[in-house]
Amino acid sequence: MGASSVLNVAAPHPMAASEAIRPFRIHVAEKALVDMRRRINETRWPDREAVADESQGVQLAAIQQIARYWGTEYDWRKIEARLNALPQFITEIDGLDIHFIHIRSKHSNALPLIVTHGWPGSVIEQLKIIDPLTNPTAHGGTAADAFHLVIPSIPGYGFSARPTTGGWETGRTARAWVVLMKRLGYTRFAAQGGDLGGGVVTAMGKQAPPELLGIHTNFPATVPLDIAKALQAGHPPPADLAADEKRAYEQLTILFAKKRAYAALMATRPQTLYGLADSPVGLASWLLDHGDGYGQPAAAIMSAVLGRTINGHPADGLTRDDVLDDITLYWLTNTAVSSARFYWENKLNLYNFADVSVPAAVSVFPGENYPAPRSWTERAYHKLIYFNEVMKGGHYAAWEQPQLFSAELRAAFRSLRQAT
Amino acid sequence: MSRPAGFEFSNPDRRQLLGTAMGIAAASLLSVHPALAAATDAVRPFRIRFPEAELMDLRTRLAATIWPDKETVADDSQGVPLAVMQELARYWQKDYDWRKIETRLNALPQFITEIDGLDIHFIHVSSKHENALPLIVTHGWPGSIIEQLKIIDPLTNPTAHGGSASDAFHVVIPSMPGYGFSAKPTTTGWDPERIARAWVVLMKRLGYAQFVAQGGDWGGVVANVMAQQAPPELLGIHVNFPETIPPEIGMALQAGGPPPAGLAPDEKRAFEQLVAQRTKHLAYTLEMGTRPQTLYAMADSPVGLAAWLLDHGDNYAQPAAAITSAVLGRTVNGHSAGAVTRDDVLDNVTLYWLTNTAVSSARLYWENKRRLLSAVNVSIPAAVTVFPGEIYQAPRSWTERAYHNLIYFNEAGQGGHFAAWEQPELFSAELRAAFKSLRS
C-alpha cells in the first residue's frame, strides 16, 4: 500500500521526450486517510517516560495530545487544496521523476531561484515564502526584489520518485537541479537551502556550474578542519577561540554528543526503520523529535504542536496544522525510509568547511543547530557577499519566519542582480 | 487508545484471595502487590499466560503491515532487507506459535519478588547436587531470559551433559528491570550499578550466602559492576562481554586515527573491530541512549520492533549474523546460527512485543553512565571467555590489565555475541572450567 496506490496523480501520459514537464496534481484516496486515522486511533502506546521533562524523547502526553487531534479533527484536504492551487509539475531527470512547484513572478527581471527543503521537511516548509518572493510589492519589497521560484522535492521525498538504486546523494541532486533550472529556461539562477537543502546548495556551490550566480544558505558548513578534529576527539574548546567561535564549538559538542543519533541511524541503517512506515505515531514522534529535546531545532515545531512557547522558542509562523501537513505528507507518500536514505547516500559533511568559491550569502538564525561565526564563514565561503545574524527564527527559518526569511533573500542576492 | 499487553498471574495464594478469573494487565499487575504485601521481600510464584486477544491483535497488525520500498542495494548495508522482513513476518503471522515458549517457560520455576521498590522476575532452578555453586546469569539487549533456557539443564544437571556432579550450579536467571516480566521502572535511576546491587539482594533473599555471577552484553556490564562493587558474598564473575579497552586506546579510538604504533597483532585486530563498531554499528545504541521515548513505532508496529531487535546495527557480521542465520535458515557470512532457531528468535521478539518493553528496555542505555567496553578495574576473581563472533575479540593483554585477578581466560572455538543461546553446551563447559578453581 505504497504511495503509488493511494495517490491519484493527474498527470498527462508521459511524452516520448523524457524531458517533458508534466503538470501534477495531488489527490489522496479517501481510504488511505481512513486507514491512517484508524491506525492513529488504535495506537499501542509504551509507558510514560520515566522523567518529568523531555530528556528521554517526545513525551507520552505530548504525542497523545497530537494523536488525538490528528486522528479526529485534522483535515488533510486543506493542504492538498493549497498545494493544488499552485503550479506543480513532474519531470524526469537522470532517470528519476522530480516533483516541483514553479511560480513565475509577474516582474520580468525577476531572479530565478531554486529553494531546497531538508529533513524532516518538504515543499510544505516553503509555501509561505512563495508570495513574498514572487510578488514582493505586496510584501514591502520592490519589483527589483522579485524572484521566479522553483521548489523541488528531493529524490525520495514527497512527490518526487523514490530512487530504487543507490547514488542519489547531494552532489547528484545538485547536478539534477541545474538540469531542472535549465530545462525551465533559466540560464542564470541562484540557489538557496537549509538543512539537507543547505547540503545541496553547498554541493552546487562547489560544482560551480556557469549558470549558478550564487547561493544563499541558512545552514552554512563552516567548521574549520582543525576544529572538526578537536570536536571528534571530544576535546575542550581550543584556547585561542574567539567568544563566538567558542560558543559555536560548545553547541557543536552538545549536538554531536547528544543530538545526532537519529542522523547516525539514518546514515547507517535506514532500511531498518520499518516501524516508521507502519506506525503513524511512530513516524510523527521520529519527525518531531529531531534529537534535541525542547532545544532548537525542534523547539519551534514543538511550540506549534503544543500551542505554547517552549523554552523561549516561539512557533511564530508555524501552526499545528503546518506540522501535521508535513508529517502526513511523509505518511501518505510512505517516504520515511526513502527520505532517510538521503543520509545514507550523503558523502558530504554538512557542518565542515564548505570550500565554496562562487558568491555565497549566509543568514545565521539564532535558533539554528549552531551559530556559525563570521570568521569561520569567511574561511569556508571564499566569496562571501552577504552575512547577517538574524534576530529570530530557527532551523526551519522559511517556515517559522517567512517574511524575515524573504527579506534576507532579497538582501542577500541584491548585489548579484546588479552584476547581471 | 492504549491496549496494554496483558498476562494472567497464576499464584495459588492469590487465587484464593482474588478468584480464578483474574486476567490483569501487566502494568497494573506488576505494580499491585498481593495481599501478602506486608512482607515486601516475599518470593511469589509466577506463571505466564497472555490472553488470546493479545495474540490475535499481534497477527492482525502483522497482516496489516505497511511496508517501505525495497532497499536500494543488493545487500544488507542499508539495514534488514525487505525480503527478509517480509518472509519473517509471513511466518510470524501464520505459523509461529507463542504458546510453545509460554509452556516451556511455565515448566520452569519462575518467581517475582520486590527489590528496591521494583518487582523482579526470575527463573530459579536448584540443582539436585547439594554442593552446587549458586550462579546468577544476566541477559542483555535485545535479549531476555529466553537466551539462557538452553544452559539451564547443562548447568544444573551436569551429569546428563558430560560433566560431573562437582560441576553443578544452582541457577538464577533474572529479567532486568524494564525487560520481560520484570516491572518497568517509572522513575529514573535503574542503571547497571543499581541492578548489580539488586542482584545481590536477590541472591541473599534466596538464601545464597556465597555465589558467582555471569553475563554477556548488558548482563556482562552488570556482572562487571557487581565485581567492582565486590560485595563479600560474590566469589567471582565470568563474562563473555569483557570490558578491556585501555585508556590510551580509548582516546585513539575517539580521535578516529589509525591504530597506535606498537600494538600486538591481536590488539590491532581488536582496535580495527572497535573502529568499525563505533563508526558503523552503534547508531541504535546512540538513539536508545539519548531518545528512548521517541521509539513509539517499536511499541506500535510488530515488524518495526522485529527489525529493530534483529538488526543490531551490524549488517550480516556479528553479533546479528547468528540471529540472521537462524531467521533465514542458512549460514550468513560464515556465522552459523548454532543452536538458535527461527522460533527462538521470534520467541524473544514476541516477548518484547507482548510485554510492550521496547521503550522500557531501551531506557537502560539512557540510564547508563559508564563508558561501555572501557577497561574495568576489577580485583575479585574474574573469568573471561572470548567468543570469535563477539563485537571485538578482547586481547589477553588488555583483559589482564582490566581484571587484576584473572582466574580463567579462553578463546572459544565458535559462538558469537549470544553465546549461551548459540552454543549452550560449549558455553556451559566454559562456565564449569571458569569457576572450577573457586569451588576448591
Side-chain angles (χ1 to χ4, degrees), chain A residues 231-245:
Chain A
L231 279 166
Q232 187 184 3
H235 292 158
D240 57 349
L241 294 188
D244 59 344
E245 295 169 340

Side-chain angles (χ1 to χ4, degrees), chain A residues 35 39-51 54-60 63 68 162-166 232-233 258 261-262 264-265 268-272 274-279 281-282 285-286 289 291 293 331 334 337 341 344, chain B residues 1-3 5 61 64-73 76-82 85 184 186-188 254-256 280 283-284 286-287 290-294 296-297 299-301 303-304 307-308 311 313 315 353-354 356 359 363 366:
Chain A
D35 180 70
R39 286 173 185 269
I40 294 167
N41 294 329
E42 291 180 3
T43 298
R44 186 177 185 262
W45 299 100
D47 291 333
R48 187 183 172 284
E49 61 282 358
V51 289
E54 36 61 58
S55 61
Q56 294 187 334
V58 180
Q59 290 171 281
L60 182 67
I63 193 77
R68 198 173 307 120
R162 294 168 296 205
T164 56
T165 53
Q232 187 184 3
K258 295 194 174 164
Y262 71 97
L265 195 63
T268 55
R269 313 298 289 166
Q271 189 69 26
T272 292
Y274 288 93
L276 306 188
D278 192 33
S279 164
V281 160
S285 63
W286 187 257
D289 192 21
W331 176 261
N334 194 358
V337 168
R341 274 194 204 114
W344 188 90
Chain B
M1 284 195 205
S2 173
R3 290 194 285 181
R61 285 172 184 269
T65 300
I66 295 182
W67 297 98
D69 293 330
K70 184 181 179 298
E71 60 282 358
T72 60
V73 288
D76 62 300
S77 60
Q78 294 184 337
V80 185
L82 180 67
M85 283 314 299
K184 298 169 209 168
T186 57
T187 54
T188 58
Q254 178 101 28
K280 295 187 177 167
Y284 71 99
L286 299 175
E287 181 67 25
T290 55
R291 314 298 289 166
Q293 190 69 25
T294 294
Y296 289 94
D300 191 34
S301 164
V303 161
W308 186 252
D311 191 21
N315 311 340
W353 175 262
L354 292 172
N356 196 358
V359 168
R363 280 194 200 119
W366 188 92

Side-chain angles (χ1 to χ4, degrees), chain B residues 150-151 154 161-162 420 423-430 432:
Chain B
K150 294 172 190 171
I151 59 171
H161 298 268
Q423 301 291 341
E425 294 289 340
L426 183 62
F427 185 87
S428 302
E430 283 297 300
R432 288 177 201 149

Side-chain angles (χ1 to χ4, degrees), chain A residues 139-415:
Chain A
H139 298 267
T142 68
D145 290 325
F147 294 91
H148 298 309
L149 200 51
V150 176
I151 305 172
S153 299
I154 295 176
Y157 287 69
F159 302 105
S160 281
R162 294 168 296 205
T164 56
T165 53
W168 275 98
E169 38 78 54
T170 42
R172 187 168 174 184
T173 306
R175 286 189 293 276
W177 280 190
V178 178
V179 173
L180 173 61
M181 292 303 273
K182 287 164 76 176
R183 192 172 293 174
L184 294 173
Y186 299 129
T187 53
R188 310 266 272 169
F189 60 87
Q192 199 285 330
D195 194 78
L196 291 176
V200 173
V201 295
T202 295
M204 292 173 82
K206 290 167 91 77
Q207 292 167 2
E211 299 84 0
L212 184 66
L213 291 170
I215 63 170
H216 173 273
T217 181
N218 52 311
F219 195 79
T222 73
V223 180
L225 298 180
D226 54 325
I227 299 290
K229 239 179 148 174
L231 279 166
Q232 187 184 3
H235 292 158
D240 57 349
L241 294 188
D244 59 344
E245 295 169 340
K246 185 157 176 282
R247 190 165 62 113
Y249 190 95
E250 284 163 355
Q251 263 184 248
L252 287 164
T253 299
I254 295 170
L255 175 83
F256 291 124
K258 295 194 174 164
K259 302 182 173 177
R260 294 293 292 165
Y262 71 97
L265 195 63
M266 297 197 293
T268 55
R269 313 298 289 166
Q271 189 69 26
T272 292
L273 296 169
Y274 288 93
L276 306 188
D278 192 33
S279 164
V281 160
L283 173 67
S285 63
W286 187 257
L287 299 184
L288 284 173
D289 192 21
H290 221 164
D292 61 350
Y294 283 6
Q296 285 283 10
I301 302 283
M302 290 310 292
S303 296
V305 293
L306 297 180
R308 59 186 165 83
T309 292
I310 306 270
N311 280 359
H313 296 291
D316 279 350
L318 261 178
T319 67
R320 178 170 61 175
D321 274 358
D322 286 340
V323 176
L324 284 175
D325 289 344
D326 185 61
I327 293 170
T328 307
L329 177 66
Y330 274 78
W331 176 261
L332 293 171
T333 55
N334 194 358
T335 48
V337 168
S338 55
S339 64
R341 274 194 204 114
F342 205 68
Y343 285 79
W344 188 90
E345 290 284 356
N346 188 36
K347 293 162 191 78
L348 195 71
N349 183 306
L350 296 177
Y351 292 88
N352 288 357
F353 178 67
D355 195 16
V356 160
S357 297
V358 303
V362 168
S363 298
V364 176
F365 286 86
E368 189 47 90
N369 287 359
Y370 81 108
R374 182 171 197 133
S375 55
W376 294 359
T377 309
E378 285 173 345
R379 285 166 66 181
Y381 298 90
H382 311 308
K383 196 170 175 195
L384 190 66
I385 57 169
Y386 181 83
F387 179 88
N388 190 33
E389 291 172 344
V390 187
M391 293 303 292
K392 51 186 187 173
H395 186 71
Y396 302 92
W399 219 9
E400 297 173 41
Q401 302 290 344
Q403 295 292 345
L404 191 57
F405 183 86
S406 301
E408 282 298 298
L409 264 54
R410 289 176 199 148
F413 289 123
R414 195 157 283 146
S415 66

Side-chain angles (χ1 to χ4, degrees), chain A residues 62-230:
Chain A
I63 193 77
Q64 285 186 329
Q65 181 191 327
I66 293 161
R68 198 173 307 120
Y69 175 78
W70 195 18
T72 54
E73 296 174 56
Y74 169 77
D75 182 6
W76 163 261
R77 297 298 184 200
K78 285 187 192 163
I79 183 67
E80 195 174 79
R82 271 175 73 201
L83 285 166
N84 284 336
L86 296 167
Q88 297 177 85
F89 306 90
I90 283 186
T91 193
E92 185 186 321
I93 302 176
D94 197 4
L96 202 75
D97 271 354
I98 298 296
H99 164 261
F100 61 100
I101 299 168
H102 181 201
I103 298 157
R104 289 187 60 86
S105 173
K106 66 184 175 191
H107 303 292
S108 55
N109 288 327
L111 178 65
L113 172 68
I114 183 165
V115 179
T116 310
H117 66 82
W119 183 97
S122 65
V123 295
I124 289 172
E125 274 182 79
Q126 270 88 40
L127 298 184
K128 293 172 189 173
I129 58 171
I130 293 175
D131 208 59
L133 292 178
T134 59
N135 187 20
T137 53
H139 298 267
T142 68
D145 290 325
F147 294 91
H148 298 309
L149 200 51
V150 176
I151 305 172
S153 299
I154 295 176
Y157 287 69
F159 302 105
S160 281
R162 294 168 296 205
T164 56
T165 53
W168 275 98
E169 38 78 54
T170 42
R172 187 168 174 184
T173 306
R175 286 189 293 276
W177 280 190
V178 178
V179 173
L180 173 61
M181 292 303 273
K182 287 164 76 176
R183 192 172 293 174
L184 294 173
Y186 299 129
T187 53
R188 310 266 272 169
F189 60 87
Q192 199 285 330
D195 194 78
L196 291 176
V200 173
V201 295
T202 295
M204 292 173 82
K206 290 167 91 77
Q207 292 167 2
E211 299 84 0
L212 184 66
L213 291 170
I215 63 170
H216 173 273
T217 181
N218 52 311
F219 195 79
T222 73
V223 180
L225 298 180
D226 54 325
I227 299 290
K229 239 179 148 174

